[in-house]
Amino acid sequence: QVQLVESGGGLVQPGGSLRLSCATSGSIFSFNTMDWYRQPPGKQREWVATIQRGGTTRYADSVKGRFTISRDSAKNTMYLQMNRLKPEDTAVYSCRVTSWAGDASWGQGTQVTVSS
């Protein structure tokens, strides 16, 4: 089982920035896809962004142009740079990795609160 540890969440004012990290216990090149999801208070979990093994990225329309997903192979870590944050970005953010066999592993989540 792959271990994932998120960090970087916190309280930020609207318009501010945060960078989330997701450290993995395995090589990032052993994963087919790496994703960020979020669950706003009282709502269902929703997909935010994906980076594929080859480096292709995709974003939900709600974050496109504001969020950037990336990875560092030397650190086996994935990132989510979040700029121009809005109150509606408030959520628990979780990372997920999926192996070539289709097995998915999740992190424990990190809270992001956007409020003045």
Side-chain angles (χ1 to χ4, degrees), residues 65-77:
R66 300 188 298 122
F67 291 10
T68 303
I69 188 171
S70 64
R71 66 192 180 189
D72 184 332
S73 58
K75 297 181 179 180
N76 291 322
T77 299

Side-chain angles (χ1 to χ4, degrees), residues 52-66:
Q52 296 178 327
R53 187 181 185 276
T56 302
T57 58
R58 294 184 290 118
Y59 298 92
D61 287 343
S62 59
V63 307
K64 199 173 295 182
R66 300 188 298 122

Side-chain angles (χ1 to χ4, degrees), residues 75-111:
K75 297 181 179 180
N76 291 322
T77 299
M78 174 177 65
Y79 302 98
L80 186 68
Q81 177 67 45
M82 305 185 294
N83 298 329
R84 290 184 281 136
L85 282 161
K86 306 175 182 180
E88 50 264 44
D89 294 318
T90 294
V92 175
Y93 285 72
S94 300
C95 59
R96 184 187 78 165
V97 299
T98 305
S99 71
W100 290 100
D103 300 318
S105 299
W106 290 86
Q108 82 287 353
T110 185
Q111 177 70 46

